[in-house]
CSV table of all heavy atoms in Angstrom, one decimal:
chain,number,residue,atom,x,y,z
A,217,GLU,N,10.6,-11.4,2.4
A,217,GLU,CA,9.3,-10.9,2.1
A,217,GLU,C,8.8,-11.5,0.8
A,217,GLU,O,9.5,-11.7,-0.2
A,217,GLU,CB,9.3,-9.4,2.0
A,217,GLU,CG,8.0,-8.7,1.8
A,217,GLU,CD,8.1,-7.2,1.8
A,217,GLU,OE1,9.2,-6.7,2.1
A,217,GLU,OE2,7.1,-6.6,1.5
A,218,LYS,N,7.5,-11.9,0.8
A,218,LYS,CA,6.9,-12.5,-0.4
A,218,LYS,C,5.5,-12.0,-0.6
A,218,LYS,O,4.7,-11.9,0.3
A,218,LYS,CB,6.9,-14.0,-0.3
A,218,LYS,CG,6.4,-14.7,-1.5
A,218,LYS,CD,6.4,-16.3,-1.3
A,218,LYS,CE,5.8,-17.0,-2.5
A,218,LYS,NZ,5.8,-18.4,-2.3
A,219,ASP,N,5.2,-11.6,-1.8
A,219,ASP,CA,3.9,-11.1,-2.2
A,219,ASP,C,3.1,-12.3,-2.8
A,219,ASP,O,3.4,-12.8,-3.8
A,219,ASP,CB,4.0,-9.9,-3.2
A,219,ASP,CG,2.6,-9.3,-3.5
A,219,ASP,OD1,1.6,-9.7,-2.8
A,219,ASP,OD2,2.5,-8.5,-4.4
A,220,ASN,N,2.0,-12.6,-2.1
A,220,ASN,CA,1.1,-13.7,-2.6
A,220,ASN,C,-0.3,-13.2,-3.1
A,220,ASN,O,-1.2,-14.0,-3.1
A,220,ASN,CB,0.9,-14.7,-1.4
A,220,ASN,CG,2.1,-15.1,-0.7
A,220,ASN,OD1,3.0,-15.6,-1.3
A,220,ASN,ND2,2.2,-14.8,0.6
A,221,SER,N,-0.3,-11.9,-3.4
A,221,SER,CA,-1.6,-11.3,-3.7
A,221,SER,C,-2.2,-11.9,-5.0
A,221,SER,O,-1.6,-12.2,-5.9
A,221,SER,CB,-1.5,-9.8,-3.9
A,221,SER,OG,-1.0,-9.2,-2.6
A,222,ILE,N,-3.6,-11.9,-4.9
A,222,ILE,CA,-4.4,-12.4,-6.1
A,222,ILE,C,-5.2,-11.1,-6.5
A,222,ILE,O,-6.2,-10.8,-5.9
A,222,ILE,CB,-5.3,-13.5,-5.8
A,222,ILE,CG1,-4.5,-14.7,-5.3
A,222,ILE,CG2,-6.1,-13.9,-7.0
A,222,ILE,CD1,-5.4,-15.9,-4.7
A,223,ILE,N,-4.7,-10.5,-7.6
A,223,ILE,CA,-5.3,-9.2,-8.0
A,223,ILE,C,-5.0,-9.0,-9.5
A,223,ILE,O,-3.8,-9.2,-9.9
A,223,ILE,CB,-4.9,-8.0,-7.2
A,223,ILE,CG1,-5.6,-6.7,-7.5
A,223,ILE,CG2,-3.4,-7.9,-7.2
A,223,ILE,CD1,-5.4,-5.6,-6.5
A,224,ASN,N,-5.9,-8.5,-10.3
A,224,ASN,CA,-5.6,-8.2,-11.7
A,224,ASN,C,-5.3,-6.8,-12.0
A,224,ASN,O,-5.3,-6.0,-11.0
A,224,ASN,CB,-6.8,-8.7,-12.6
A,224,ASN,CG,-8.1,-7.9,-12.3
A,224,ASN,OD1,-8.1,-6.7,-12.1
A,224,ASN,ND2,-9.2,-8.6,-12.3
A,225,GLU,N,-4.9,-6.4,-13.2
A,225,GLU,CA,-4.3,-5.1,-13.5
A,225,GLU,C,-5.4,-4.0,-13.3
A,225,GLU,O,-5.1,-2.9,-12.9
A,225,GLU,CB,-3.8,-5.1,-14.9
A,225,GLU,CG,-2.5,-6.0,-15.1
A,225,GLU,CD,-1.4,-5.6,-14.1
A,225,GLU,OE1,-1.2,-4.3,-13.9
A,225,GLU,OE2,-0.8,-6.5,-13.5
A,226,VAL,N,-6.7,-4.3,-13.7
A,226,VAL,CA,-7.7,-3.3,-13.6
A,226,VAL,C,-8.0,-3.0,-12.1
A,226,VAL,O,-8.1,-1.8,-11.7
A,226,VAL,CB,-9.0,-3.9,-14.2
A,226,VAL,CG1,-10.2,-2.9,-14.0
A,226,VAL,CG2,-8.8,-4.1,-15.7
A,227,GLN,N,-7.9,-4.0,-11.3
A,227,GLN,CA,-8.1,-3.8,-9.8
A,227,GLN,C,-7.0,-3.0,-9.2
A,227,GLN,O,-7.1,-2.2,-8.3
A,227,GLN,CB,-8.3,-5.1,-9.1
A,227,GLN,CG,-9.6,-5.8,-9.5
A,227,GLN,CD,-9.7,-7.3,-9.2
A,227,GLN,OE1,-8.6,-7.9,-9.1
A,227,GLN,NE2,-10.9,-7.9,-9.1
A,228,LYS,N,-5.8,-3.3,-9.7
A,228,LYS,CA,-4.6,-2.5,-9.2
A,228,LYS,C,-4.7,-1.1,-9.5
A,228,LYS,O,-4.3,-0.2,-8.7
A,228,LYS,CB,-3.3,-3.1,-9.9
A,228,LYS,CG,-2.8,-4.4,-9.3
A,228,LYS,CD,-1.5,-4.8,-10.0
A,228,LYS,CE,-1.0,-6.1,-9.4
A,228,LYS,NZ,0.3,-6.5,-10.0
A,229,GLU,N,-5.3,-0.7,-10.7
A,229,GLU,CA,-5.4,0.7,-11.0
A,229,GLU,C,-6.4,1.4,-10.1
A,229,GLU,O,-6.2,2.6,-9.8
A,229,GLU,CB,-5.9,0.8,-12.5
A,229,GLU,CG,-4.9,0.4,-13.5
A,229,GLU,CD,-5.4,0.5,-14.9
A,229,GLU,OE1,-6.6,0.9,-15.1
A,229,GLU,OE2,-4.7,0.0,-15.9
A,230,ILE,N,-7.4,0.7,-9.6
A,230,ILE,CA,-8.3,1.3,-8.6
A,230,ILE,C,-7.6,1.7,-7.3
A,230,ILE,O,-7.8,2.7,-6.7
A,230,ILE,CB,-9.5,0.3,-8.3
A,230,ILE,CG1,-10.4,0.2,-9.5
A,230,ILE,CG2,-10.3,0.8,-7.1
A,230,ILE,CD1,-11.1,1.5,-9.9
A,231,LEU,N,-6.7,0.8,-6.9
A,231,LEU,CA,-5.9,1.0,-5.6
A,231,LEU,C,-4.9,2.1,-5.8
A,231,LEU,O,-4.5,2.7,-4.8
A,231,LEU,CB,-5.3,-0.2,-5.1
A,231,LEU,CG,-6.2,-1.4,-4.7
A,231,LEU,CD1,-5.4,-2.6,-4.3
A,231,LEU,CD2,-7.2,-0.9,-3.6
A,232,THR,N,-4.5,2.4,-7.0
A,232,THR,CA,-3.5,3.4,-7.5
A,232,THR,C,-2.1,2.8,-7.1
A,232,THR,O,-1.9,2.1,-6.1
A,232,THR,CB,-3.6,4.8,-6.9
A,232,THR,OG1,-3.1,4.8,-5.6
A,232,THR,CG2,-5.1,5.2,-6.8
A,233,PHE,N,-1.1,3.3,-7.8
A,233,PHE,CA,0.3,2.7,-7.7
A,233,PHE,C,1.0,3.4,-6.5
A,233,PHE,O,2.2,3.2,-6.3
A,233,PHE,CB,1.0,2.8,-9.0
A,233,PHE,CG,0.6,1.8,-9.9
A,233,PHE,CD1,-0.3,2.1,-11.0
A,233,PHE,CD2,1.0,0.4,-9.8
A,233,PHE,CE1,-0.7,1.1,-11.9
A,233,PHE,CE2,0.6,-0.6,-10.7
A,233,PHE,CZ,-0.3,-0.2,-11.7
A,234,SER,N,0.3,4.3,-5.8
A,234,SER,CA,0.9,4.9,-4.6
A,234,SER,C,0.6,4.0,-3.4
A,234,SER,O,1.1,4.3,-2.3
A,234,SER,CB,0.5,6.3,-4.3
A,234,SER,OG,-1.0,6.3,-4.2
A,235,ASP,N,-0.2,3.0,-3.6
A,235,ASP,CA,-0.5,2.0,-2.6
A,235,ASP,C,0.6,1.0,-2.4
A,235,ASP,O,0.9,0.2,-3.3
A,235,ASP,CB,-1.8,1.3,-2.9
A,235,ASP,CG,-2.4,0.5,-1.8
A,235,ASP,OD1,-1.6,0.1,-0.9
A,235,ASP,OD2,-3.6,0.2,-1.8
A,236,PRO,N,1.3,1.0,-1.2
A,236,PRO,CA,2.4,0.1,-1.0
A,236,PRO,C,2.0,-1.4,-1.0
A,236,PRO,O,2.9,-2.2,-1.2
A,236,PRO,CB,3.0,0.5,0.3
A,236,PRO,CG,1.8,1.2,1.0
A,236,PRO,CD,1.0,1.8,0.0
A,237,ARG,N,0.8,-1.7,-0.9
A,237,ARG,CA,0.3,-3.1,-0.9
A,237,ARG,C,0.5,-3.7,-2.3
A,237,ARG,O,0.6,-4.9,-2.4
A,237,ARG,CB,-1.1,-3.2,-0.4
A,237,ARG,CG,-1.3,-2.8,1.1
A,237,ARG,CD,-2.8,-2.8,1.4
A,237,ARG,NE,-3.5,-1.8,0.6
A,237,ARG,CZ,-4.8,-1.7,0.6
A,237,ARG,NH1,-5.6,-2.5,1.4
A,237,ARG,NH2,-5.4,-0.8,-0.2
A,238,ILE,N,0.5,-2.9,-3.3
A,238,ILE,CA,0.6,-3.4,-4.7
A,238,ILE,C,1.8,-2.9,-5.4
A,238,ILE,O,2.2,-3.4,-6.4
A,238,ILE,CB,-0.7,-3.1,-5.5
A,238,ILE,CG1,-0.9,-1.6,-5.6
A,238,ILE,CG2,-1.9,-3.8,-4.9
A,238,ILE,CD1,-2.0,-1.3,-6.6
A,239,ASN,N,2.4,-1.8,-4.9
A,239,ASN,CA,3.6,-1.2,-5.5
A,239,ASN,C,4.8,-1.8,-4.8
A,239,ASN,O,5.2,-1.4,-3.7
A,239,ASN,CB,3.6,0.3,-5.4
A,239,ASN,CG,4.7,1.0,-6.2
A,239,ASN,OD1,5.7,0.3,-6.5
A,239,ASN,ND2,4.5,2.2,-6.5
A,240,ARG,N,5.5,-2.7,-5.5
A,240,ARG,CA,6.7,-3.4,-4.8
A,240,ARG,C,7.9,-2.4,-4.6
A,240,ARG,O,8.8,-2.8,-3.9
A,240,ARG,CB,7.1,-4.6,-5.7
A,240,ARG,CG,6.0,-5.6,-5.7
A,240,ARG,CD,6.4,-6.8,-6.5
A,240,ARG,NE,5.4,-7.9,-6.6
A,240,ARG,CZ,5.6,-9.0,-7.2
A,240,ARG,NH1,6.7,-9.3,-7.8
A,240,ARG,NH2,4.6,-9.9,-7.2
A,241,SER,N,7.9,-1.3,-5.3
A,241,SER,CA,9.0,-0.4,-5.1
A,241,SER,C,8.9,0.4,-3.8
A,241,SER,O,9.9,1.0,-3.3
A,241,SER,CB,9.0,0.7,-6.3
A,241,SER,OG,7.9,1.5,-6.2
A,242,ILE,N,7.8,0.3,-3.1
A,242,ILE,CA,7.6,0.9,-1.8
A,242,ILE,C,7.9,-0.2,-0.8
A,242,ILE,O,7.0,-1.0,-0.5
A,242,ILE,CB,6.2,1.5,-1.6
A,242,ILE,CG1,5.9,2.6,-2.7
A,242,ILE,CG2,6.1,2.2,-0.3
A,242,ILE,CD1,4.5,3.1,-2.7
A,243,ALA,N,9.0,-0.2,-0.2
A,243,ALA,CA,9.5,-1.3,0.6
A,243,ALA,C,8.9,-1.2,2.0
A,243,ALA,O,8.7,-0.1,2.5
A,243,ALA,CB,11.0,-1.3,0.6
A,244,THR,N,8.7,-2.4,2.6
A,244,THR,CA,8.3,-2.4,4.0
A,244,THR,C,9.6,-2.1,4.8
A,244,THR,O,10.7,-2.3,4.4
A,244,THR,CB,7.8,-3.8,4.4
A,244,THR,OG1,8.8,-4.8,4.0
A,244,THR,CG2,6.5,-4.1,3.7
A,245,ASP,N,9.4,-1.6,6.0
A,245,ASP,CA,10.5,-1.2,6.9
A,245,ASP,C,11.3,-2.4,7.3
A,245,ASP,O,10.7,-3.5,7.5
A,245,ASP,CB,10.0,-0.5,8.1
A,245,ASP,CG,11.0,0.4,8.8
A,245,ASP,OD1,12.1,-0.1,9.1
A,245,ASP,OD2,10.8,1.6,8.9
A,246,LYS,N,12.6,-2.3,7.4
A,246,LYS,CA,13.5,-3.4,7.7
A,246,LYS,C,13.4,-3.8,9.2
A,246,LYS,O,13.9,-4.9,9.6
A,246,LYS,CB,14.9,-3.1,7.3
A,246,LYS,CG,15.1,-2.9,5.8
A,246,LYS,CD,16.6,-2.6,5.5
A,246,LYS,CE,16.8,-2.5,4.0
A,246,LYS,NZ,18.2,-2.1,3.6
A,247,MET,N,12.9,-2.9,10.0
A,247,MET,CA,12.8,-3.2,11.5
A,247,MET,C,11.4,-2.9,12.0
A,247,MET,O,10.6,-2.2,11.4
A,247,MET,CB,13.8,-2.3,12.2
A,247,MET,CG,15.2,-2.6,12.0
A,247,MET,SD,16.3,-1.5,12.9
A,247,MET,CE,15.8,-2.0,14.6
A,248,ASP,N,11.0,-3.6,13.0
A,248,ASP,CA,9.8,-3.4,13.7
A,248,ASP,C,10.0,-3.4,15.2
A,248,ASP,O,11.0,-4.1,15.7
A,248,ASP,CB,8.8,-4.5,13.3
A,248,ASP,CG,7.3,-4.2,13.7
A,248,ASP,OD1,7.1,-3.0,14.0
A,248,ASP,OD2,6.5,-5.0,13.8
């Protein structure tokens, strides 16, 4: 998995750190 996102810190705060798209500690599922 690789995060290629282009986003600054102020914009990240708007999404909140419970958003798994910007919070790397919230892992994607290992299976689909």
Side-chain angles (χ1 to χ4, degrees):
E217 184 175 354
K218 183 180 180 181
D219 184 8
N220 313 299
S221 298
I222 302 173
I223 184 170
N224 62 41
E225 294 302 319
V226 174
Q227 293 162 339
K228 283 184 179 180
E229 290 178 6
I230 289 294
L231 296 180
T232 84
F233 286 101
S234 59
D235 188 335
R237 295 173 300 173
I238 62 170
N239 188 338
R240 295 183 180 180
S241 66
I242 304 176
T244 53
D245 204 303
K246 295 181 179 180
M247 293 180 61
D248 193 16

